[in-house]
Amino acid sequence: MPNENIPRHVAIIVDGNRRWARQRMMPASLGHKAGFDRLKEITRYALSECGVKVLSLYVFSTENFARDPKEVGYLMDLFSNNFRTIADEMNERNCQVLFSGRREGLQQRVCDAMDYMMDLTKDNTSGIVNFCLNYGGHAELTDAVRGIVSEVQAGTLDPAAIDEKTVESHLYRQLPPVDFLIRTSGEQRISNFLLWQAAYAEFYFTPVLFPDFDKGQFDAALAEYARRDRRMGGDTKKK
């Protein structure tokens, strides 16, 4: 596929792990493990082989804490232990690992793993994988507003100077806008994910459960993106 048809920033709502397990009469933990294995494959493929520059992955929302405590505990184990293997591989491929979301509410071992992964890869330049963990779009915008208000109160920011760039500078991460947002599992909503960044994103909803979302499925999604006519409110096609 020509480089101009490859989205620079792809965001994926990782969905369907539990349903994948239920269909096979397995515990939810095995579905999450299968989803993690697929996550490693897609991260490697998108950044190293497809030419995607930024990959944002919605792996745990602020609302997911309402799930069964045992399931949440398993996911925290997965994040604190297994996700380090992704960082090691991304480091070998000169890719940076970032996290977006609130640290409050996360166990210290998870925060320590996050810090390790980000520090290990902080100087890498070939691509970025951004894990959205304990993330919510409303929470991100709320935190951005709080940061702006604090600067106004401190006298370091003129209220009259506040514009879109000001808001963007107070988001969790300063990354390019999302070009292409993928959701697996058949749900057709974005569930509070990257609300500001995805304002002009192309959406792609597939019934495929995430553990089955392999390279071929990702290629099919990219092919659909290449067929889209992105006018961004104007008359000229943009990529």
Side-chain angles (χ1 to χ4, degrees), residues 58 62-63 102 135-145 172 191-196:
Y58 203 9
T62 53
E63 294 80 12
R102 289 176 170 171
Y135 175 88
H138 287 177
E140 179 174 31
L141 293 174
T142 299
D143 290 345
V145 171
Y172 292 143
S191 296
N192 199 22
F193 184 43
L194 298 178
L195 300 178
W196 180 280

Side-chain angles (χ1 to χ4, degrees), residues 64-82:
N64 287 156
F65 276 113
R67 292 183 176 181
D68 181 89
K70 290 184 179 180
E71 182 181 356
V72 173
Y74 176 83
L75 286 169
M76 293 302 115
D77 287 338
L78 197 64
F79 297 145
S80 61
N81 299 324
N82 297 30

Side-chain angles (χ1 to χ4, degrees), residues 1-235:
M1 189 179 298
N3 288 337
E4 63 269 18
N5 290 332
I6 298 295
R8 178 171 57 165
H9 187 172
V10 174
I12 302 178
I13 299 175
V14 177
D15 194 16
N17 293 342
R18 295 193 296 175
R19 269 171 280 177
W20 184 91
R22 281 199 300 268
Q23 288 177 1
R24 291 157 178 78
M25 301 184 69
M26 297 176 176
S29 58
L30 293 184
H32 292 307
K33 178 59 170 63
F36 169 75
D37 291 340
R38 187 65 70 193
L39 194 74
K40 288 181 64 176
E41 176 189 289
I42 292 300
T43 300
R44 181 190 313 118
Y45 185 60
L47 294 175
S48 299
E49 299 182 46
C50 293
V52 172
K53 297 302 181 184
V54 181
L55 182 66
S56 289
L57 300 162
Y58 203 9
V59 294
F60 194 87
S61 74
T62 53
E63 294 80 12
N64 287 156
F65 276 113
R67 292 183 176 181
D68 181 89
K70 290 184 179 180
E71 182 181 356
V72 173
Y74 176 83
L75 286 169
M76 293 302 115
D77 287 338
L78 197 64
F79 297 145
S80 61
N81 299 324
N82 297 30
F83 269 47
R84 291 174 184 257
T85 63
I86 293 181
D88 292 337
E89 182 169 329
M90 289 298 99
N91 190 47
E92 292 177 1
R93 296 171 184 269
N94 194 36
C95 291
Q96 186 179 14
V97 175
L98 297 175
F99 286 87
S100 292
R102 289 176 170 171
R103 294 172 71 96
E104 296 83 358
L106 294 175
Q107 298 175 5
Q108 186 59 48
R109 62 196 175 99
V110 176
C111 294
D112 289 344
M114 291 162 54
D115 290 339
Y116 163 80
M117 295 165 72
M118 289 188 290
D119 185 65
L120 176 68
T121 63
K122 66 180 184 299
D123 296 323
N124 295 343
T125 57
S126 292
I128 296 172
V129 55
N130 173 42
F131 292 109
C132 296
L133 174 61
N134 194 19
Y135 175 88
H138 287 177
E140 179 174 31
L141 293 174
T142 299
D143 290 345
V145 171
R146 287 174 177 166
I148 292 170
V149 169
S150 295
E151 292 184 16
V152 171
Q153 292 176 335
T156 58
L157 177 62
D158 180 0
I162 296 174
D163 56 14
E164 291 186 10
K165 290 184 178 180
T166 307
V167 177
E168 290 173 355
S169 70
H170 287 79
L171 297 177
Y172 292 143
R173 298 294 173 189
Q174 283 65 61
L175 298 173
V178 174
D179 297 304
F180 194 37
L181 191 151
I182 299 169
R183 180 167 190 158
T184 58
S185 88
E187 304 293 346
Q188 297 190 22
R189 57 182 181 272
I190 62 172
S191 296
N192 199 22
F193 184 43
L194 298 178
L195 300 178
W196 180 280
Q197 299 90 334
Y200 278 99
E202 296 293 320
F203 293 171
Y204 179 84
F205 301 109
T206 173
V208 177
L209 303 177
F210 188 74
D212 295 325
F213 190 75
D214 58 16
K215 294 179 182 180
Q217 295 290 339
F218 191 74
D219 284 342
L222 292 183
E224 173 59 27
Y225 175 83
R227 290 191 288 268
R228 304 282 179 91
D229 187 2
R230 302 187 70 206
R231 298 187 182 279
M232 315 285 280
D235 294 326

